[in-house]
Amino acid sequence: MTYRVLLADDQALLRGAFRMLLESAGDITVAGEAGDGREAVRLARELRPDVVVMDIRMPEVDGLAATAEICADPDLRDTRVLILTTYETDEHVARALRAGAGGFIGKGIGAEELADAVRTIAAGDTLLSPAATRSLVARFLATPDDPPADESERLALLTPREREMVALVATGLSNQEIAERMFLSPFTVRAHVQRAMTKLEARDRAQLVVVAYRTGLARVTP
């Protein structure tokens, strides 16, 4: 299949470089380019891309605000956001996850890594390493906000096995790694995770991680 991408960055030179890198992959096409967050939201609604590759620092509307608006639009439920930025701070990662981003990577990655990131996000998976998941999500998502009442109620809908899967996802493990640990097939793990996402109304694995920490299902290991 071909993945359709919208590039959002205020520097035209970087957009051009990212376009060349992505389209050289063969299975990715750049459907459009935006120079600021407001234009990114407009083009996302117009083009319905699979993935929006979003910078944070942009004029008018920044990337985090644009991400929140895209992720909150029910008509864009199938559009994922990948934050690609120079500013890889803990706070930015946490804010990106809260806004609904499916992943967060730095601009120093190579062409193959960038293409793989797009494919990963388009598949609905999160793009955070286990270490980043534990430290960043725990630090910024576990403590500041109380979980919404309906979020805790939805958590009660999970079966014991689904709760177990969500807790493992929150540590940053992939489906394959969970399957090996639990002596299950990856297809079985994926089915449990997908059902949990549906019950918790999570857009993707990143949002599943947020819910897990916010509700206390997953906790920080000192």
Side-chain angles (χ1 to χ4, degrees):
M1 64 178 296
T2 299
Y3 301 98
R4 299 176 66 252
V5 170
L6 169 63
L7 292 175
D9 194 298
D10 62 335
Q11 298 185 48
L13 186 61
L14 282 179
R15 293 201 307 272
F18 292 146
R19 174 187 283 271
M20 286 192 298
L21 291 176
L22 288 171
E23 294 192 332
S24 67
D27 61 343
I28 298 173
T29 181
V30 176
E33 298 181 19
D36 59 63
R38 180 173 291 113
E39 187 178 18
V41 174
R42 179 181 65 79
L43 287 177
R45 288 170 174 157
E46 176 184 328
L47 301 173
R48 305 293 176 90
D50 298 304
V51 176
V52 179
V53 177
M54 184 85 72
D55 187 22
I56 289 180
R57 298 287 182 89
M58 292 188 291
E60 302 294 333
V61 176
D62 68 25
L64 296 177
T67 296
E69 193 168 346
I70 289 171
C71 293
D73 190 334
D75 292 332
L76 295 176
R77 186 172 181 83
D78 294 330
T79 295
R80 311 296 183 188
V81 178
L82 171 64
I83 300 293
L84 178 61
T85 181
T86 305
Y87 304 96
E88 297 181 79
T89 66
D90 289 355
E91 185 175 1
H92 280 146
V93 175
R95 288 179 61 197
L97 287 178
R98 285 190 185 130
F104 189 105
I105 55 178
K107 287 183 176 178
I109 65 171
E112 187 174 343
E113 292 174 297
L114 179 58
D116 284 341
V118 167
R119 297 183 190 105
T120 298
I121 296 300
D125 290 334
T126 186
L127 197 68
L128 291 175
S129 68
T133 302
R134 285 193 295 269
S135 63
L136 302 179
V137 176
R139 180 178 175 186
F140 289 97
L141 301 177
T143 54
D145 305 313
D146 292 328
D150 61 336
E151 196 168 83
S152 297
E153 291 170 2
R154 290 197 298 270
L155 188 65
L157 300 176
L158 299 184
T159 66
R161 177 62 66 153
E162 288 165 356
R163 292 169 69 92
E164 190 175 23
M165 293 297 170
V166 172
L168 289 171
V169 168
T171 67
L173 295 177
S174 67
N175 286 349
Q176 181 64 45
E177 291 168 331
I178 294 173
E180 292 172 358
R181 176 175 295 194
M182 302 300 295
F183 301 103
L184 299 169
S185 77
F187 300 102
T188 300
V189 172
R190 183 177 180 82
H192 284 305
V193 172
Q194 289 293 338
R195 282 196 292 270
M197 288 174 62
T198 299
K199 291 178 180 179
L200 295 174
E201 299 182 12
R203 283 174 54 92
D204 48 39
R205 290 172 75 95
Q207 288 297 295
L208 200 61
V209 170
V210 171
V211 173
Y213 278 97
R214 203 157 54 187
T215 59
L217 183 59
R219 297 185 181 278
V220 189
T221 301

